[in-house]
Amino acid sequence: MDNQLDDDRDMVGTDAAMLRATRRALREAKMHNVPVPVWRDGRVVWVDADEIVLPPEADAPLSCGEKNGASDAPTVLSDK
């Protein structure tokens, strides 16, 4: 059981770090007009930079439109 607790302590802050990295990558892609890969309908599709919706910089929870808040990943897709 102690090993499980140690593993959890190692993971503290990783979700926030991944969200910060995702925000930065999306911001950079949009700034340099570079498409980004996104998983959609069971496959990878490329989203043009002009379709990227930058998430808020605050540490507020983010949503990518999944039901029941299944993901905190930022949204990068337009209504297309």
Side-chain angles (χ1 to χ4, degrees), residues 19-37 47-50 52-55 57 74 76:
L19 288 173
R20 284 192 307 271
T22 301
R23 285 185 189 108
R24 183 174 182 180
L26 293 174
R27 188 173 55 247
E28 293 281 326
K30 191 167 184 77
M31 183 175 20
H32 297 289
N33 199 32
V34 177
V36 295
V47 175
D48 290 330
D50 60 341
I52 296 172
V53 177
L54 295 175
E57 290 294 326
V76 296

Side-chain angles (χ1 to χ4, degrees), residues 1-63:
M1 191 80 164
D2 287 335
N3 192 20
Q4 177 70 29
L5 291 175
D6 290 339
D7 290 342
D8 290 343
R9 286 187 200 123
D10 290 341
M11 298 303 291
V12 171
T14 56
D15 287 338
M18 292 296 291
L19 288 173
R20 284 192 307 271
T22 301
R23 285 185 189 108
R24 183 174 182 180
L26 293 174
R27 188 173 55 247
E28 293 281 326
K30 191 167 184 77
M31 183 175 20
H32 297 289
N33 199 32
V34 177
V36 295
V38 177
W39 187 259
R40 185 194 296 168
D41 298 327
R43 63 187 184 101
V44 175
V45 296
W46 288 90
V47 175
D48 290 330
D50 60 341
E51 295 180 51
I52 296 172
V53 177
L54 295 175
E57 290 294 326
D59 289 333
L62 302 172
S63 173

Side-chain angles (χ1 to χ4, degrees), residues 62-66 70-77:
L62 302 172
S63 173
C64 66
E66 294 184 22
S71 173
D72 286 339
T75 183
V76 296
L77 303 176

